[in-house]
């Protein structure tokens, strides 16, 4: 059916195409005065659709107020839509949330129980701020103490690099004739010396020139006589705790050393009580023996006994004592008889051994001079 009384003789049968918009132009919507109703409707529908999906909304935002966190998610070119801004804000918010979560986790670690050790005013369960403040306070206290220590060191100590120069300067200031060696020694302390004696010490052992006030320990000039002797720790008057039985004077035969006391020997001769106990075995066999009876006939003639008189006779022929003269012929039973047959006990004495000499009692040594500084 054709349009009846349509505007401007419109021949369309669809009414919105014949109706014209006569209002003000709306550029933002793309609507101009004189547009048909269908064009206006299409423009409104497009605008509403783009508004609902965010594409058509293009907020006007000053770029200077957009932070980098949001800016990094916005498109680099073209008009920015509401969707662009919302997407960037959501992503930025997610980033912030991740950062917040990380901070919270870090805070949980930081706020865990502390080992406060030397800190004061806090406990293991104090929060991080309190512990940090305690650390700052402690550091400030240490700074004050270090400043005091630095002042003390600077006032009362010298640098190691300056020590030798200061010692040399001191020695030079106390000596007018070269180096005085006693200035480097502790008084009354015995020191080993392997140098020359000639020119440095006189016949008494007193030091000469740079060796003045230093003496050989030869028993003169108030020195101990250390010739041929090694030192041992004094016990008398020293004090201290319980002593080892090896050196305790309460142990029999242990000396109780006093200052300048002497003991010991270079050689030792052992006596019977000092040698190990031992025995000597001696064996003697007695084969036995017999006794015979002989007639005793005194004769001064010097004639030997006959067969019928005796086996032997005593003779004092002339001035010579002949003792007994034995007959050379057979002896008859009437003249000779067995008196006894016995085994006799025998006493044996062992021969002595050894010469009773002494043995060396010297440990390995290295000979040196001993010197002492006596003020």
């Amino acid at each position: 059916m054709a349009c009846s009384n349509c505007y401007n003789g419109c021949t369309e049968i669809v009414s919105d195409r014949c109706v014209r918009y006569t209002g003000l132009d709306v550029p933002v919507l793309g609507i101009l005065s004189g547009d048909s109703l269908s064009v206006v409707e299409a423009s409104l529908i497009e605008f509403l659709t783009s508004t609902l999906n965010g594409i058509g909304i293009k907020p006007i935002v000053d770029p200077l107020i957009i932070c980098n966190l949001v800016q990094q998610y916005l498109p680099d070119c073209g008009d920015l839509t509401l969707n662009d801004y919302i997407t960037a804000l959501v992503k930025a918010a997610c980033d912030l949330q991740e950062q917040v979560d990380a901070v919270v986790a870090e805070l949980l670690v930081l706020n865990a129980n502390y080992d406060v050790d030397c800190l004061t005013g806090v406990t293991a369960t104090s929060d991080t701020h309190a512990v940090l403040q305690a650390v700052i306070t402690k550091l400030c206290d240490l700074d004050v103490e270090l400043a005091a220590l630095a002042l003390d060191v600077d006032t009362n100590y010298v640098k190691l690099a300056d020590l030798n120069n200061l010692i040399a300067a001191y020695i030079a200031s106390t000596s007018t004739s070269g180096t005085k060696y006693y200035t480097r020694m502790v008084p009354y302390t015995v020191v080993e010396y392997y140098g020359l004696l000639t020119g440095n010490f006189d016949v008494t052992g007193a030091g000469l020139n740079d060796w003045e006030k230093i003496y050989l320990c030869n028993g003169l000039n108030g020195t101990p006589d250390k010739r041929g002797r090694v030192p041992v720790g004094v016990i008398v008057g020293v004090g201290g705790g319980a002593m080892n039985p090896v050196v305790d004077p309460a142990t029999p035969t242990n000396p109780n050393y006093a200052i300048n006391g002497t003991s010991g020997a270079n050689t030792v001769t052992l006596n019977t009580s000092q040698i190990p106990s031992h025995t000597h075995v001696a064996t003697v066999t007695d084969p036995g023996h017999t006794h015979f009876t002989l007639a005793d006939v005194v004769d001064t003639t010097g004639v030997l006994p006959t067969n019928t008189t005796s086996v032997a006779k005593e003779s004092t022929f002339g001035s010579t004592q002949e003792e007994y003269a034995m007959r050379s012929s057979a002896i008859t039973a009437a003249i000779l008889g067995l008196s006894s047959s016995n085994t006799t006990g025998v006493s044996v004495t062992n021969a002595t051994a050894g010469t009773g000499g002494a043995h060396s009692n010297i440990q390995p040594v290295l000979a040196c001079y001993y010197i002492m500084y006596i003020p």
Side-chain angles (χ1 to χ4, degrees):
M1 178 177 73
C3 178
S4 178
N5 297 322
C6 292
Y7 169 74
N8 199 22
C10 179
T11 61
E12 295 288 341
I13 62 174
V14 179
S15 60
D16 58 358
R17 292 185 179 181
C18 293
V19 178
R20 302 292 181 180
Y21 171 69
T22 59
L24 296 176
D25 294 343
V26 184
V28 68
L29 298 179
I31 299 175
L32 299 176
S33 179
D35 286 339
S36 65
L37 180 59
S38 61
V39 172
V40 173
E41 290 174 345
S43 296
L44 290 174
I45 291 171
E46 181 182 0
F47 175 77
L48 290 175
T49 301
S50 64
T51 299
L52 292 175
N53 61 24
I55 296 177
I57 301 176
K58 299 178 179 179
I60 301 175
V61 180
D62 186 354
L64 296 178
I65 67 172
I66 301 175
C67 65
N68 292 333
L69 181 63
V70 176
Q71 185 67 52
Q72 65 179 329
Y73 295 115
L74 291 174
D76 294 331
C77 59
D79 294 334
L80 299 178
T81 66
L82 180 61
N83 280 354
D84 293 332
Y85 283 108
I86 292 176
T87 300
L89 289 172
V90 170
K91 291 182 177 180
C94 290
D95 283 351
L96 287 175
Q97 184 61 52
E98 290 179 0
Q99 296 177 33
V100 169
D101 291 342
V103 170
V104 170
E106 186 69 19
L107 288 176
L108 291 176
V109 175
L110 293 176
N111 283 325
N113 288 352
Y114 287 92
D115 182 3
V116 295
D117 198 15
C118 62
L119 299 179
T120 58
V122 291
T123 65
T125 58
S126 297
D127 62 29
T128 301
H129 177 78
V131 173
L132 180 59
Q133 184 59 58
V135 171
I136 294 173
T137 302
K138 186 67 175 181
L139 288 176
C140 291
D141 292 342
L142 288 176
D143 183 62
V144 174
E145 294 175 2
L146 285 175
L149 177 61
L151 178 62
D152 179 57
V153 170
D154 187 60
T155 303
N156 301 309
Y157 297 86
V158 297
K159 295 180 179 179
L160 185 61
D162 299 333
L163 184 59
N164 289 339
N165 292 335
L166 291 172
I167 293 175
Y170 172 76
I171 293 175
S173 68
T174 57
S175 174
T176 58
S177 59
T179 301
K180 297 297 182 182
Y181 295 116
Y182 72 82
T183 60
R184 305 177 184 181
M185 299 177 65
V186 178
Y188 304 105
T189 300
V190 174
V191 179
E192 293 182 4
Y193 172 66
Y194 295 89
L196 298 175
L197 297 184
T198 303
N200 294 333
F201 298 90
D202 64 18
V203 294
T204 70
L208 303 172
N209 302 319
D210 291 339
W211 293 86
E212 66 175 341
K213 299 184 181 181
I214 300 175
Y215 303 89
L216 292 173
C217 295
N218 57 6
L220 302 177
N221 302 306
T223 65
D225 190 357
K226 289 190 63 60
R227 294 173 298 177
R229 294 190 177 275
V230 294
V232 68
V234 169
I235 296 176
V236 177
V238 174
M243 297 186 66
N244 190 294
V246 174
V247 295
D248 192 346
T251 302
T253 73
N254 281 351
N256 190 18
Y257 295 111
I259 189 68
N260 291 323
T262 58
S263 181
N266 287 333
T267 59
V268 174
T269 301
L270 298 178
N271 57 40
T272 304
S273 64
Q274 294 171 327
I275 63 176
S277 176
H278 64 283
T279 60
H280 294 275
V281 178
T283 302
V284 176
T285 301
D286 183 4
H289 61 280
T290 58
H291 298 271
F292 294 90
T293 301
L294 300 176
D296 185 10
V297 179
V298 178
D299 184 8
T300 61
T301 64
V303 180
L304 291 174
T306 64
N307 290 341
T308 58
T309 57
S310 61
V311 176
K313 71 176 181 179
E314 181 180 6
S315 175
T316 56
F317 179 72
S319 62
T320 301
Q321 181 67 39
E322 296 294 341
E323 297 297 333
Y324 285 91
M326 302 297 292
R327 60 189 287 183
S328 59
S329 58
I331 300 174
T332 64
I335 299 173
L336 179 61
L338 179 63
S339 63
S340 65
S341 178
N342 296 290
T343 299
T344 305
V346 179
S347 175
V348 177
T349 301
N350 291 316
T352 59
T355 61
H359 68 271
S360 175
N361 195 40
I362 301 175
Q363 61 181 337
V365 298
L366 174 64
C368 67
Y369 302 111
Y370 284 110
I371 60 176
M372 175 186 287
Y373 160 45
I374 302 178

